[in-house]
Amino acid sequence: RKEVEQDPGPFNVPEGATVAFNCTYSNSASQSFFWYRQDCRKEPKLLMSVYSSGNEDGRFTAQLNRASQYISLLIRDSKLSDSATYLCVGYFGNEKLTFGTGTRLTIIP
Amino acid sequence: GAVVSQHPSWVICKSGTSVKIECRSLDFQATTMFWYRQFPKQSLMLMATSNEGSKATYEQGVEKDKFLINHASLTLSTLTVTSAHPEDSSFYICSARGGEGETQYFGPGTRLLVL
């Protein structure tokens, strides 16, 4: 089983809608999680860190559920510019980031 | 955020040649740099971790003699793909970490196509 698993999608969502993705992890000795965004043929860019208490950054809300071992990302009022692949990333205390395969999101006008 | 550059951004080469990719941290000293590879529609896979002045630590299945990593200074790491073959064609991305904490800053990546 992969350490970090995501539904690859694609998710095709109309502009203005709310969309949510989950990511599950298998290593309970996790320390931190992040959501990265990767545009086509570009490098990943940090979107936000994920905290157990939940954190919000504008239209984006991230949540970590340690008991069920999943991370979520909610995007409200989606924009065309939100179209990208969203990568769930875990840091398990071994200096390395572990990437999920990514969830592809397309916002439709 | 911190800036990491990679050079070149694109490489097309013949099978059997060696290709060197540079990764530079432009506004901070990178104690640790990471090299990833990403095939189409797949996730980033860590190839190796390098610390300045010491040998790189390679992930399982990555041939250290084929992918030579040098981290000679706090701002520069290089990855050399030796005797490249078509199956080495991929998107190579480096990242750099400045100090404590998990934040890694990614370079823009290098697309390698081996004919």
Side-chain angles (χ1 to χ4, degrees):
Chain A
R1 185 183 173 186
K2 293 179 183 176
E3 283 196 285
V4 177
E5 290 201 66
Q6 294 180 253
D7 180 346
F11 284 60
N12 298 315
V13 173
E15 191 176 6
T18 296
V19 60
F21 338 116
N22 283 345
C23 161
T24 58
Y25 62 93
S26 59
N27 186 346
S28 59
S30 61
Q31 295 200 354
S32 312
F33 293 92
F34 309 89
W35 284 103
Y36 277 74
R37 170 193 170 129
Q38 186 174 25
D39 292 291
C40 188
R41 296 176 175 270
K42 300 284 187 180
E43 77 278 20
K45 293 187 176 175
L46 179 64
L47 181 65
M48 59 198 306
S49 301
V50 187
Y51 305 117
S52 298
S53 55
N55 49 308
E56 190 174 309
D57 183 2
R59 298 181 293 107
F60 298 83
T61 301
Q63 190 84 44
L64 166 60
N65 185 317
R66 288 195 183 275
S68 302
Q69 294 188 195
Y70 77 84
I71 305 104
S72 63
L73 177 67
L74 181 80
I75 305 174
R76 289 180 298 278
D77 187 24
S78 52
K79 314 287 185 192
L80 295 177
S81 57
D82 294 333
S83 297
T85 296
Y86 290 85
L87 302 169
C88 175
V89 183
Y91 177 72
F92 299 107
N94 55 0
E95 279 201 322
K96 309 170 191 175
L97 295 180
T98 300
F99 286 81
T101 52
T103 297
R104 190 171 163 194
L105 173 67
T106 301
I107 306 301
I108 304 166
Chain B
V3 179
V4 175
S5 71
Q6 271 185 251
H7 178 80
S9 54
W10 273 96
V11 180
I12 301 174
C13 68
K14 293 182 179 179
S15 184
T17 59
S18 292
V19 176
K20 181 189 262 189
I21 303 169
E22 292 187 351
C23 177
R24 292 181 185 272
S25 57
L26 299 183
D27 54 1
F28 69 103
Q29 293 187 324
T31 52
T32 306
M33 286 186 169
F34 304 85
W35 285 96
Y36 296 84
R37 180 168 54 181
Q38 186 177 33
F39 292 106
K41 297 187 179 182
Q42 295 187 23
S43 64
L44 275 75
M45 296 301 295
L46 180 65
M47 298 175 67
T49 303
S50 75
N51 292 295
E52 185 263 340
S54 61
K55 288 184 178 180
T57 301
Y58 289 81
E59 294 300 298
Q60 193 172 10
V62 178
E63 299 174 56
K64 63 180 181 180
D65 294 328
K66 181 167 180 63
F67 298 99
L68 301 178
I69 292 172
N70 185 281
H71 191 164
S73 77
L74 285 171
T75 58
L76 173 64
S77 177
T78 60
L79 167 68
T80 301
V81 183
T82 62
S83 186
H85 290 284
E87 59 266 27
D88 298 323
S89 299
S90 188
F91 188 39
Y92 291 85
I93 309 175
C94 73
S95 71
R97 189 176 70 193
E100 296 180 6
E102 309 91 14
T103 302
Q104 293 183 22
Y105 300 95
F106 285 85
T110 297
R111 293 208 173 269
L112 171 63
L113 176 61
V114 184
L115 302 176

